[in-house]
């Protein structure tokens, strides 16, 4: 059995000299100020089975739901309450297998609520007309509660970027996707209000579409392309252009050259701090070519606690090389395969919060 490393707490306390905020691991919480909180006790729902069967990649599911939370912040403040998941749209509401009448099914006489086009209906992808195409893959639901009162709903729709018809792929153009989403968003909101008594017209509903990227040559699984906000009888829509890029990569440098230059400085500053080289890799989430969130992993090969502490301190101090305060930063410090520290720098802040683990 592998023995757990035990480092003296007195040595850990030395990190306080760096000016970082250190939390004892027994009291540490990775849900810091600005995060949404789940309503506890957490209520499990049967949609989890449906989500896994439709999108097997855990990273895609996590990124999709994380993105839905990020976009929801403009309408539902994390300070105003907590969230629940799929209070209304359970497995049966979504399921469309074996002729079921779920929202993910095709529109037909037996399923007037189906959100995918009728199998006999022509759909113009902008690159050709197809029939029987599946555009909508899955729906995620987050429900915002304030003092046990439903204060709002966020719905995330996963859509395909292309349709295979007669053994040929037809990519859906942004214009045709927008047309489909305008109708689908409105139909889904109307369904929610008519189907569930608690979802009155006074409950605002935010809807966003995450488009999968099926290009085998890209490292990005997809991103949000469109959203809509329904408040009473009013509705507003916005085009989005979210994508993800591996850091470092030529794509990242092309999309956001200024952030890529800051990353290079940060990476080079850590490279030779220790006798063995320290590497930095990560992922960037961008919208319209501007980095919104930068998640980095610092991988060191320290042989002593002092070395691990030193590279952690250096990484914290060199965070000031990132000059963009409109971006959120998350840095994980690993020594070989063990996570030693987590750092966060929130949007509109230069303060780096750090939690260490022993």
């Amino acid at each position: 059995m592998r023995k757990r490393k035990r480092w003296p707490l007195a040595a850990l306390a030395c990190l306080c000299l760096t000016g970082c905020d250190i939390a004892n691991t027994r009291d540490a919480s990775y849900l810091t100020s600005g995060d949404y909180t789940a309503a506890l006790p957490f209520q499990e729902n049967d949609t989890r089975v449906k989500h896994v069967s439709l999108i097997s990649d855990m990273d895609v599911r996590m990124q999709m739901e994380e993105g839905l939370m990020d976009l929801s912040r403009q309408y539902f403040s994390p300070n105003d309450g907590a969230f629940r998941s799929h209070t209304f749209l359970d497995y049966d509401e979504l399921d469309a297998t074996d002729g079921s009448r779920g929202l993910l099914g095709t529109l037909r006489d037996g399923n007037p609520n189906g959100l995918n086009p009728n199998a006999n209906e022509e759909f113009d992808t902008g690159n050709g007309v197809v029939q029987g195409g599946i555009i909508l893959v899955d729906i995620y639901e987050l429900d915002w509660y304030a003092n046990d009162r439903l204060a709002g709903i966020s719905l995330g729709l996963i859509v395909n970027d292309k349709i295979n018809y007669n053994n040929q792929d037809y990519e859906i153009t942004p214009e045709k996707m927008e047309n489909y989403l305008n109708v689908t968003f409105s139909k889904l909101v109307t369904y929610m209000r008519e189907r569930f008594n608690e979802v009155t017209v006074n409950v605002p509903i935010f809807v966003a579409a995450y488009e999968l990227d099926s290009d085998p040559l890209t490292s990005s699984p997809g991103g949000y392309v469109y959203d809509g906000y329904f408040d009473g009888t009013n509705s507003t829509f916005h085009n989005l252009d979210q994508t993800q890029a591996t850091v470092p990569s030529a794509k990242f440098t092309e999309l956001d050259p200024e952030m890529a230059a800051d990353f290079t400085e940060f990476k080079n500053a850590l490279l030779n701090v220790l006798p063995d080289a320290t590497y930095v890799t990560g992922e960037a989430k961008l919208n319209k070519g501007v980095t919104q969130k930068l998640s980095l992993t610092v991988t060191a090969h320290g042989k002593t606690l002092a070395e691990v502490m030193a590279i952690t301190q250096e990484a914290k101090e060199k965070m000031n090389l990132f000059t963009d305060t409109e971006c959120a930063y998350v840095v994980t410090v690993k020594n070989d395969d063990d996570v030693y520290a987590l750092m966060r720098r929130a949007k509109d802040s230069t303060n780096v919060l750090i939690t260490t683990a022993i």
Side-chain angles (χ1 to χ4, degrees):
M1 180 180 293
R2 183 182 180 185
K3 294 183 178 179
R4 184 185 179 195
K5 296 181 181 67
R6 293 188 179 276
W7 291 338
L9 291 178
L12 177 62
C14 293
L15 271 176
C16 293
L17 297 177
T18 68
C20 304
D21 294 321
I22 302 297
N24 186 291
T25 52
R26 290 174 299 178
D27 302 320
S29 172
Y30 299 132
L31 297 177
T32 59
S33 177
D35 283 329
Y36 283 114
T37 56
L40 300 177
F42 184 75
Q43 300 294 319
E44 179 184 344
N45 61 77
D46 57 7
T47 55
R48 63 198 301 269
V49 178
K50 190 66 177 175
H51 293 323
V52 173
S53 69
L54 293 171
I55 302 291
S56 60
D57 192 323
M58 178 65 172
D59 287 340
V60 175
R61 300 199 305 271
M62 293 281 285
Q63 291 167 8
M64 183 272 172
E65 202 162 10
E66 178 189 23
L68 181 60
M69 288 187 177
D70 287 341
L71 290 170
S72 297
R73 292 174 191 274
Q74 58 190 315
Y75 302 109
F76 309 114
S77 172
N79 300 322
D80 292 343
F83 70 85
R84 296 185 179 124
S85 176
H86 282 281
T87 304
F88 305 103
L89 299 180
D90 58 16
Y91 185 101
D92 290 335
E93 293 284 343
L94 298 180
D95 187 45
T97 57
D98 300 324
S100 297
R101 299 180 46 166
L103 293 170
L104 299 179
T106 57
L107 178 64
R108 61 184 188 278
D109 290 341
N111 187 20
N113 299 314
L115 298 178
N116 274 302
N118 187 292
N120 299 317
E121 175 186 349
E122 290 188 341
F123 179 82
D124 185 1
T125 65
N127 287 304
V129 176
V130 301
Q131 286 184 323
I134 299 299
I135 303 174
L136 180 62
V137 178
D138 201 359
I139 302 174
Y140 280 69
E141 174 193 343
L142 294 171
D143 309 296
W144 312 107
Y145 282 86
N147 299 321
D148 290 329
R149 178 185 63 84
L150 181 64
I153 298 173
S154 290
L155 301 170
L157 279 61
I158 300 182
V159 295
N160 284 317
D161 63 341
K162 59 183 62 173
I163 294 174
N164 186 274
Y165 179 62
N166 289 337
N167 296 319
Q168 182 177 344
D169 286 335
Y170 293 83
E171 187 173 350
I172 305 173
T173 64
E175 179 185 4
K176 297 303 182 182
M177 180 63 78
E178 180 180 330
N179 292 341
Y180 166 77
L181 292 174
N182 272 326
V183 174
T184 303
F185 283 4
S186 299
K187 184 175 179 180
L188 179 56
V189 169
T190 299
Y191 176 85
M192 296 288 292
R193 289 173 173 172
E194 293 180 351
R195 176 76 172 84
F196 306 105
N197 293 333
E198 192 175 355
V199 187
T200 68
V201 72
N202 297 318
V203 175
I205 300 178
F206 173 71
V207 194
Y210 182 99
E211 185 178 78
L212 297 170
D213 190 341
S214 60
D215 186 349
L217 299 179
T218 183
S219 60
S220 172
Y224 280 93
V225 295
Y226 201 63
D227 70 22
Y229 183 64
F230 298 79
D231 188 6
T233 58
N234 300 316
S235 58
T236 56
F237 301 90
H238 306 95
N239 287 302
L240 304 172
D241 184 18
Q242 286 193 357
T243 188
Q244 293 171 201
T246 300
V247 180
S249 67
K251 178 180 179 180
F252 180 52
T253 301
E254 178 185 354
L255 291 172
D256 195 342
E258 292 185 9
M259 183 66 77
D262 288 348
F263 166 79
T264 299
E265 283 194 69
F266 179 79
K267 177 191 67 173
N268 291 340
L270 301 183
L271 182 61
N272 298 314
V273 173
L274 302 182
D276 296 315
T278 298
Y279 299 96
V280 185
T281 57
E283 186 175 71
K285 181 184 293 184
L286 305 96
N287 184 41
K288 298 181 179 179
V290 178
T291 304
Q292 306 290 302
K293 183 176 182 180
L294 189 63
S295 301
L296 301 177
T297 299
V298 176
T299 302
H301 303 286
K303 300 299 186 288
T304 65
L305 173 60
E307 291 186 356
V308 179
M309 292 170 62
I311 194 64
T312 301
Q313 177 178 338
E314 191 72 18
K316 183 265 177 183
E317 292 188 355
K318 295 304 182 183
M319 285 293 292
N320 62 12
L321 294 173
F322 293 104
T323 57
D324 186 355
T325 56
E326 293 299 308
C327 175
Y329 302 86
V330 177
V331 179
T332 302
V333 179
K334 297 177 65 177
N335 193 61
D336 295 326
D337 295 327
D338 295 315
V339 175
Y340 176 72
L342 295 176
M343 303 182 196
R344 295 187 55 172
R345 199 179 95 181
K347 180 180 177 181
D348 298 324
S349 174
T350 58
N351 186 33
V352 179
L353 301 178
I354 177 172
T355 299
T356 61
I358 297 179

